[in-house]
Amino acid sequence: KWFPFWKTLWRLTYGSLIVGTAITSYSIYATRHPVDQPNPDPSKKTLVILGSGWGSASLLKKIDASQYNIIVVSPRNFFLFTPLLPSCTTGTIEHRSIMEPIRAIIRNKEASVTYYEAEATNIDYENKKLVIKESANHDREQISSTRTIDFDYMVIGVGAQNSTFGIPGVQDNACFLKEIPDAQKIRQKIMDRIEAASFKNLDDEDRKRLLHTVVVGGGPTGVEFAAELQDFFEEDLKKWIPEIAKDFKVTLVEALPNVLPSFSKQLIEYTEKTFQAEKITVLTKTMVKKVTSDVVTAEATNADGTKEIIELPYGLLVWATGNSARPVIRDLMSRIPAQKNSRRGLLVNEYLVVEGTEGIWAVGDCTATKYAPTAQVATQQGIYLAGLFNQLAHAVTLEEEITQLEQIVKSATNEQDRKAALSEVDSRTRRLRRSRSLLPFEYSHQGSLAYIGSDRAVADLSFWGNSSNFATGGSLTYLFWRSAYVSMCFSTRNKLLVIMDWLKVKIFGRDVSRE
Ligand code: FAD
Ligand code: NAI
């Protein structure tokens, strides 16, 4: 009696496997064999997109590029999946696994899309002119040139730079964690310090200093990096270089009373308890004031409210105290009267138009909005703008069609043709009205997730609009955290590479060789 059911189920599974494999194979084939792209069409508007990060890449992915001549300008010729960047500092993930070439994204558009590996240096918002600076290494010689691009529309998605608050010594002595070279530098320095600390003729004080990593900033970047480093020590370094075990130390310094200030109280407590168990020292209410090449000086507030100056000798210093606006953004803000009160970034209206400009939009970390500077916000803004540009292009097509139909109405020789054309004008006018009624951008928070080490993660999740706290550890969280990040990776290639890196580390451990 059950036989036909199982047979049908088997056929369905088998069938969907074949169809799934065929679709995936075709999409990989299509990505590897892009079609020829047309030249720019002078009758179309030129849209310049600055940046190749979360905001710009999601806009590029969703926009109907055939409606515009698109020019992408970014000094980084790839998209970077930042949530897994802390894992690159210890070799849990190899950096190329989280990079997606911008060429792969734009070359698969059946439209005119040009890419310049360059930095935007000046945005003339009134005359719609952009100055870019290209620089490259040519036969060991650094060459650079500037060029000016005319545009009709622009989307600014240049992100932000690291903030140092002008604290003396930070820029010269600290490592940051924003881009691939930052992660590579940290990975190299970790091994440098460890190998140096293994020198036999070092005194105790110097060895302790070299093996002490100070992380400044208890936001998600600082917390995730500290967690990754402690995992590296516990799972690999301690086994390969046991002589460093007793002196290896990670200290996280945070100016506020607790780490992860944007998470719920329950998750903060869970994180601090987990760090205590992992032997990561957390110094809260401690504000770093000065940095030299081997000592961090901070002002700590004691429980009774008194303040004291403490000194933390370090081997590696990682600075993660948030964002500040890039020079090109600061320069633009200084020239737009409507932006004069903004410090954090570009002020935008509810349609993401840069206040005080026309035809210029901004997304992500370069803006100052009520939202946190996260990948989630930048992605949703990019997708929103893609919809807006598609709608705008649709409206232009409808306007052209209406003009042509109106000509037909005027020149119609019989009543039937005239009525038919009139009814078409009517229906297109209704559609045009709908396309012009743009909805403002609305952010939908899907939750926050942070890795806190020892296969534990904390998550503030939203279910059907209600936020729920979810703090747990063990295999379930481990699986959840990893599957969430894999599902968010940009391409199938990235997803596969990330899974393979995790498997590699589970089987063989992390690579402790020094490059
Ligand atoms: P970015 O992604 O920073 O991209 C900016 C782009 O602009 C880059 O391509 C850059 O090369 C380019 N650019 C820079 N200067 C110029 C110029 N002058 N001209 C032209 N182009 C320029 N958020 C989350 O939601 N979840 C997470 O788990 C998470 N983890 C993170 C982990 C780390 C280590 C870091 C640093 C950030 C993390 N974030 C996370 C935050 C998230 O990465 C940012 O909010 C997001 O990258 C912002 O996107 P964006 O497009 O505005 O800028
Ligand atoms: P942040 O702004 O979130 O945190 C920086 C921390 O540094 C603050 O808590 C601040 O009090 C502290 N600080 C500032 N100056 C200090 C000083 N002199 N001494 C000691 N502490 C000091 O910055 P972060 O972590 O770089 O994150 C930037 C953005 O990226 C945030 O919006 C964050 O949500 C997002 N992000 C999200 C992640 C996730 O969701 N898993 C991971 C990483 C970043």
Side-chain angles (χ1 to χ4, degrees):
K1 190 176 155 193
W2 286 102
F3 183 64
F5 169 75
W6 289 115
K7 210 163 151 183
T8 315
L9 190 68
W10 167 242
R11 279 186 182 156
L12 275 175
T13 318
Y14 188 63
S16 29
L17 258 175
I18 293 178
V19 173
T21 314
I23 293 174
T24 313
S25 311
Y26 176 73
S27 69
I28 291 173
Y29 174 86
T31 332
R32 295 211 53 203
H33 298 84
V35 293
D36 286 344
Q37 286 177 315
N39 288 325
D41 175 348
S43 69
K44 289 179 184 163
K45 302 271 188 206
T46 298
L47 165 64
V48 167
I49 300 175
L50 301 185
S52 51
W54 283 93
S56 306
S58 56
L59 160 64
L60 264 172
K61 209 172 178 181
K62 297 277 177 193
I63 194 169
D64 178 0
S66 64
Q67 304 294 334
Y68 301 92
N69 297 315
I70 297 183
I71 298 175
V72 180
V73 177
S74 177
R76 192 177 80 191
N77 77 350
F78 57 88
F79 164 80
L80 174 64
F81 186 76
T82 46
L84 287 177
L85 191 61
S87 304
C88 294
T89 58
T90 56
T92 309
I93 296 286
E94 292 299 336
H95 62 273
R96 285 202 175 263
S97 306
I98 55 166
M99 292 159 59
E100 181 65 10
I102 195 75
R103 302 277 182 189
I105 304 170
I106 60 177
R107 197 53 191 86
N108 280 293
K109 295 268 174 193
E110 291 179 30
S112 162
V113 188
T114 312
Y115 169 66
Y116 293 114
E117 193 188 74
E119 213 180 306
T121 52
N122 185 288
I123 302 165
D124 179 350
Y125 71 100
E126 284 164 319
N127 300 307
K128 303 266 172 70
K129 285 185 190 298
L130 166 74
V131 180
I132 64 171
K133 184 175 167 206
E134 296 163 284
S135 42
N137 259 328
H138 176 67
D139 290 340
R140 289 203 208 118
E141 195 190 330
Q142 187 73 15
I143 50 165
S144 66
S145 66
T146 57
R147 91 169 64 198
T148 303
I149 299 172
D150 292 304
F151 64 88
D152 299 292
Y153 304 132
M154 173 181 278
V155 174
I156 308 177
V158 299
Q161 62 184 25
N162 298 295
S163 67
T164 63
F165 303 104
I167 295 172
V170 177
Q171 200 67 51
D172 295 336
N173 299 298
C175 291
F176 299 95
L177 185 51
K178 205 166 224 342
E179 299 288 347
I180 290 288
D182 298 334
Q184 286 173 310
K185 187 171 163 190
I186 293 175
R187 189 174 174 181
Q188 205 171 6
K189 282 204 168 186
I190 294 171
M191 291 319 300
D192 267 354
R193 301 302 183 260
I194 284 169
E195 293 299 350
S198 314
F199 279 18
K200 296 282 175 271
N201 55 353
L202 271 189
D203 61 34
D204 260 11
E205 205 178 301
D206 265 350
R207 187 173 37 256
K208 277 189 183 149
R209 182 183 65 76
L210 283 170
L211 293 173
H212 185 201
T213 299
V214 175
V215 185
V216 182
T221 306
V223 164
E224 289 191 334
F225 169 69
E228 291 280 353
L229 182 58
Q230 192 67 23
D231 276 3
F232 186 25
F233 170 68
E234 289 296 337
E235 291 164 18
D236 301 286
L237 291 172
K238 203 157 96 167
K239 294 176 195 156
W240 295 112
I241 319 162
E243 57 272 29
I244 63 158
K246 71 175 182 4
D247 292 328
F248 189 89
K249 188 176 168 193
V250 180
T251 302
L252 181 65
V253 183
E254 166 57 49
L256 295 176
N258 51 263
V259 298
L260 292 181
S262 58
F263 281 65
S264 68
K265 193 166 169 269
Q266 185 201 355
L267 298 186
I268 290 168
E269 279 168 13
Y270 183 81
T271 306
E272 289 182 348
K273 241 186 247 158
T274 307
F275 270 19
Q276 208 174 358
E278 287 168 358
K279 301 194 184 70
I280 296 174
T281 310
V282 179
L283 302 177
T284 50
K285 294 192 189 166
T286 306
M287 165 87 85
V288 172
K289 296 283 187 189
K290 195 178 106 188
V291 169
T292 63
S293 60
D294 47 13
V295 176
V296 168
T297 307
E299 184 184 75
T301 308
N302 298 318
D304 60 3
T306 56
K307 294 192 191 293
E308 69 172 308
I309 296 293
I310 57 166
E311 294 207 325
L312 303 165
Y314 71 87
L316 172 65
L317 171 65
V318 175
W319 192 266
T321 62
N323 296 337
S324 71
R326 289 194 189 277
V328 66
I329 298 299
R330 283 205 303 269
D331 169 61
L332 179 62
M333 289 191 318
S334 69
R335 284 183 285 113
I336 306 175
Q339 299 279 342
K340 75 171 190 300
N341 292 328
S342 179
R343 293 282 161 271
R344 284 188 301 129
L346 290 167
L347 298 173
V348 292
N349 70 12
E350 67 271 39
Y351 302 98
L352 307 181
V353 175
V354 175
E355 298 279 11
T357 72
E358 262 177 45
I360 301 184
W361 290 260
V363 290
D365 287 7
C366 64
T367 61
T369 62
K370 58 184 171 185
Y371 311 116
T374 63
Q376 227 184 115
V377 172
T379 306
Q380 290 184 28
Q381 290 177 330
I383 294 171
Y384 167 81
L385 281 192
L388 188 138
F389 279 110
N390 294 347
Q391 226 171 315
L392 212 71
H394 187 52
V396 171
T397 313
L398 285 172
E399 272 167 2
E400 283 165 7
E401 286 174 1
I402 290 169
T403 316
Q404 280 167 13
L405 283 163
E406 279 170 348
Q407 290 299 329
I408 296 174
V409 172
K410 273 191 205 148
S411 58
T413 48
N414 67 61
E415 190 57 15
Q416 208 180 350
D417 287 352
R418 204 182 72 86
K419 273 193 177 159
L422 261 180
S423 125
E424 286 296 318
V425 170
D426 218 37
S427 99
R428 277 176 176 70
T429 310
R430 274 200 304 274
R431 276 160 58 195
L432 180 62
R433 223 172 286 137
R434 273 202 303 274
S435 333
R436 278 190 181 145
S437 58
L438 302 171
L439 291 174
F441 170 73
E442 244 178 68
Y443 171 62
S444 150
H445 187 60
Q446 307 295 310
S448 314
L449 197 58
Y451 182 63
I452 56 169
S454 320
D455 293 346
R456 286 178 162 82
V458 285
D460 259 330
L461 297 180
S462 290
F463 293 110
W464 298 284
N466 300 317
S467 81
S468 307
N469 297 334
F470 174 76
T472 179
S475 346
L476 197 68
T477 320
Y478 177 79
L479 270 177
F480 175 69
W481 177 76
R482 296 201 168 192
S483 45
Y485 278 16
V486 166
S487 71
M488 287 190 290
C489 280
F490 202 85
S491 64
T492 313
R493 190 185 68 93
N494 288 152
K495 290 186 206 309
L496 279 176
L497 290 176
V498 164
I499 292 171
M500 271 154 46
D501 285 346
W502 278 331
L503 275 177
K504 198 173 71 185
V505 164
K506 268 278 166 253
I507 300 169
F508 302 108
R510 296 168 186 84
D511 186 347
V512 293
S513 52
R514 189 149 69 109
E515 279 176 86

